[in-house]
Amino acid sequence: MATRCDIAVVGAGMAGASLAAAIGSRARVVMLEAEDHPGYHTTGRSAAFWTESYGGPGIQPLTTASGPMLHALGMLTQRAALTIGTDAQSDAIDAFAARFAALGVEVKVLEREGLLQSVPGLRATWTRGVLEPSCCDIDVAALHQHYLAAAGKAGTELRCRARLTRAEREGSGWRLGLADGTELTCDILVDAAGAWADPVAELAGVRPLGITPFRRTVVQLDVEPATTADLPLVLDIAETFYFKPDAGRLWLSPHDETPSPPCDAAPEEIDVALAIERLGDVVDWRIRRLDRRWAGLRSFAPDRLPVYGFDPRQPRFFWCAGQGGFGIQTAPAAADLAARLLLGDAPGEVDPGPYLPIRFD
């Protein structure tokens, strides 16, 4: 006999867990997680920072609105971010600063001397930058566990090793088949499947939106001189690298975006080498040891904005997908926005218009 619920959420990563927590006890919710435990893929491989400019102006409202909630939960630790550029990129630096200042983000343009104070050993090529004092590190694991616990306390059932294998319309809702041979019926099917968002839609007979996974590589290095806790998150204006300190080591990414099928992503040697090469072009530090390497998948809709809302052609199918690399830093506001749409509540602080799936019709 099939289990009955109001809402089935496919995916128990940050997107699914935060949405289930935002729904609370207002509906009977079941989260379906394909893996042995939630957060195995993108959520568990985040670079773990909250930066208002990261992702561009389309992401900024969700990030900024999430800040107070993340602070209140104790999930943020002060870091600061520094976006740097060369003389040839000076106009881009000024445009970046002006664009985000106009959106209410605190920014400060730094010249060469200011850059060196923030990043000792910075090579002479880098002459201007934009400092964002508000940038913070995020305790991703604690945030994810907070949402899982809140959802569970509200009555959400979490099923692991419960990959969706079948989704058929039945009456006004859905009959779902799971990999363990069980069935589930629900009124609304929520697609919070991350890199698997389009395959889940296709399984349900819903037109995919072109949400594409891209591989992102991160390495952990032991460098000399050793990183200090006050080193900012350092990015470049052309988006070819970023790095930040972590417990005396350096987390570094070549900012790669390689299209990938949905999978258990693994780093490629060429991307690890590229990351190290790019770091050498930025600072004169010596790399003593490569400690770790990992990769995750960032999934983008064609316009690189997330997708929240009911599918215009299938009103019992709800999209909560395409968060790119910004799903952690936007989770509180995005979950609130999505839950309001799902439950038919009035809009909250963030205008849902730019994120609705109808924009692709």
Side-chain angles (χ1 to χ4, degrees):
M1 182 176 176
T3 302
R4 174 74 186 168
C5 67
D6 299 319
I7 300 169
V9 178
V10 182
M14 191 67 78
S18 60
L19 177 56
I23 294 169
S25 60
R26 295 179 62 185
R28 291 170 298 168
V29 179
V30 174
M31 278 193 292
L32 304 175
E33 172 57 51
E35 303 296 342
D36 291 345
H37 57 84
Y40 176 76
H41 290 287
T42 301
T43 296
R45 309 180 194 195
S46 168
F49 54 77
W50 178 89
T51 306
E52 290 176 276
S53 66
Y54 195 61
I59 303 298
Q60 177 270 330
L62 291 167
T63 305
T64 298
S66 294
M69 305 181 219
L70 292 169
H71 275 292
L73 290 171
M75 300 298 171
L76 298 183
T77 304
Q78 193 63 39
R79 167 64 54 204
L82 181 61
T83 301
I84 60 176
T86 65
D87 279 342
Q89 296 167 325
S90 185
D91 289 346
I93 288 288
D94 288 335
F96 177 91
R99 180 165 59 252
F100 287 101
L103 294 172
V105 178
E106 182 184 0
V107 296
K108 180 181 179 181
V109 176
L110 300 182
E111 306 301 332
R112 172 68 184 174
E113 183 178 345
L115 299 187
L116 279 174
Q117 290 176 1
S118 296
V119 189
L122 188 69
R123 295 196 183 278
T125 310
W126 306 96
T127 55
R128 304 191 75 217
V130 178
L131 183 71
E132 293 176 66
S134 63
C135 171
C136 294
D137 292 337
I138 304 176
D139 189 335
V140 177
L143 182 63
H144 189 216
Q145 288 303 312
H146 163 79
Y147 283 131
L148 290 171
K153 187 176 180 179
T156 292
E157 178 187 354
L158 170 61
R159 294 191 185 183
C160 293
R161 297 178 293 279
R163 179 173 55 86
L164 185 68
T165 59
R166 189 179 76 257
E168 301 168 348
R169 285 303 310 272
E170 180 178 83
S172 61
W174 299 89
R175 179 172 289 270
L176 310 179
L178 308 180
D180 61 6
T182 62
E183 289 191 334
L184 177 71
T185 61
C186 62
D187 296 324
I188 297 170
L189 180 60
V190 174
D191 187 350
W196 286 263
D198 267 7
V200 164
E202 291 180 297
L203 193 65
V206 174
R207 185 187 69 171
L209 299 182
I211 295 177
T212 304
F214 294 87
R215 189 178 66 246
R216 169 62 52 88
T217 305
V218 182
V219 298
Q220 179 177 292
L221 303 173
D222 180 2
V223 298
E224 188 179 6
T227 59
T228 58
D230 60 352
L231 183 73
L233 166 69
V234 181
L235 316 92
D236 74 312
I237 193 68
E239 298 185 347
T240 63
F241 65 82
Y242 58 76
F243 57 82
K244 58 173 273 192
D246 184 80
R249 297 294 190 264
L250 190 76
W251 282 14
L252 165 69
S253 173
H255 215 288
D256 50 326
E257 284 191 358
T258 305
S260 169
C263 65
D264 184 357
E268 299 283 344
E269 287 299 327
I270 189 171
D271 296 320
V272 172
L274 182 62
I276 292 172
E277 178 185 350
R278 288 180 177 173
L279 181 67
D281 292 335
V282 181
V283 289
D284 62 6
W285 307 337
R286 184 173 74 87
I287 297 174
R288 298 176 58 189
R289 185 172 60 252
L290 171 61
D291 288 337
R292 292 176 56 208
R293 66 192 81 188
W294 67 94
L297 297 179
R298 302 152 47 93
S299 302
F300 290 96
D303 61 1
R304 297 183 72 85
L305 294 181
V307 187
Y308 302 113
F310 286 102
D311 188 90
R313 304 184 184 196
Q314 179 44 268
R316 292 287 177 174
F317 186 92
F318 189 92
W319 291 92
C320 182
Q323 289 88 357
F326 326 113
I328 309 297
Q329 68 175 29
T330 62
D336 177 74
L337 182 153
R340 288 171 180 274
L341 291 170
L342 186 56
L343 298 171
D345 292 344
E349 180 180 352
V350 179
D351 175 16
Y355 313 110
L356 297 174
I358 197 171
R359 69 187 191 267
F360 297 111
D361 253 28

